[in-house]
Amino acid sequence: MTAERKKDLIRALKFFLFSVSAGVVQIASFTLLNEVIFVDGGAFGYWFSYLVALILSVIWNFTFNRRFTFKSAANVPIAMLLVFTFYAVFAPLSTLLEWWLCDLNGWNEYLVLAINMVINFVTEFLYQRYVVFRKSLDTNTIAEKDKAKAERASEDSEPK
C-alpha cells in the first residue's frame, strides 16, 4: 500500500469517527427538538427539528475534520462557504426525501434520518476531500509537526 493510499485510509477512518460523533449531536438535538419542544408540531416541527440538528452536526463535523482529518490551514470562511454550497444542495434534497418518506409514505422518521445520515457521510467525505480541502491537505501546524517527527524518525533509523 502506498503512503498516500494509507493516508487516505486513515483520513476516511477519522472522518467516519468524527461523523459518528456528529451523528450523536444530530440525533440528540433532533430528538430534543422533535420529542420535547415540537411535540405534535406536525410537518413544520419535524422539518425545523431536522434542519437545526443538521446544522449543528455540520458545524461540529467541519470543525473537527478540518483540524484533525484533513489537517488543513485553508481559509476557514472560504472552506465553510464551500461546505455551505454542499449543504445548499444536500439539505433541501434530504429534507424533501424525509418529507416524502415520512409524511407521505409513513416511514419511521428515525429510519429515514439514519438513511440520510449515511448518504450525507459518503457524499460529504468525497466533497470535502476532493473539493474543499484538496489543495490544502496536511498544511496546518499538526501536519507540520507530524512531518517533522517523521523526518526525525527517518534520520534516526538511517545507518551512520
Side-chain angles (χ1 to χ4, degrees):
M1 179 181 305
T2 67
E4 197 58 35
R5 180 115 167 105
K6 184 177 178 182
K7 263 186 172 179
D8 274 338
L9 202 54
I10 291 169
R11 275 191 189 99
L13 179 61
K14 285 181 182 179
F15 193 87
F16 172 76
L17 293 173
F18 286 127
S19 294
V20 168
S21 70
V24 170
V25 168
Q26 186 172 355
I27 290 169
S29 55
F30 175 81
T31 302
L32 175 68
L33 291 166
N34 193 52
E35 302 293 337
V36 177
I37 296 173
F38 290 108
V39 176
D40 297 324
F44 171 79
Y46 177 81
W47 175 85
F48 185 79
S49 299
Y50 173 72
L51 193 59
V52 169
L54 180 65
I55 290 168
L56 291 174
S57 73
V58 168
I59 292 169
W60 176 277
N61 208 23
F62 174 82
T63 302
F64 286 104
N65 279 309
R66 179 184 166 274
R67 178 151 175 85
F68 299 109
T69 302
F70 301 109
K71 298 179 183 177
S72 175
N75 184 310
V76 173
I78 291 172
M80 192 53 130
L81 181 62
L82 288 170
V83 171
F84 175 79
T85 61
F86 173 84
Y87 280 99
V89 174
F90 181 82
L93 290 177
S94 63
T95 302
L96 284 173
L97 180 64
E98 299 243 350
W99 169 76
W100 184 71
L101 291 175
C102 294
D103 291 347
L104 297 182
N105 292 294
W107 286 37
N108 179 280
E109 55 207 14
Y110 291 96
L111 172 63
V112 175
L113 179 64
I115 290 167
N116 267 337
M117 290 170 75
V118 170
I119 294 169
N120 184 22
F121 165 73
V122 172
T123 57
E124 186 180 13
F125 174 78
L126 294 172
Y127 183 78
Q128 285 193 16
R129 168 62 178 89
Y130 294 106
V131 176
V132 177
F133 299 116
R134 73 182 153 93
K135 293 182 180 178
S136 66
L137 291 172
D138 300 325
T139 57
N140 70 7
T141 55
I142 294 172
E144 295 299 322
K145 288 177 185 177
D146 290 348
K147 185 177 177 183
K149 184 178 174 183
E151 287 173 359
R152 282 193 306 276
S154 175
E155 289 170 2
D156 291 343
S157 67
E158 290 178 7
K160 305 230 176 187

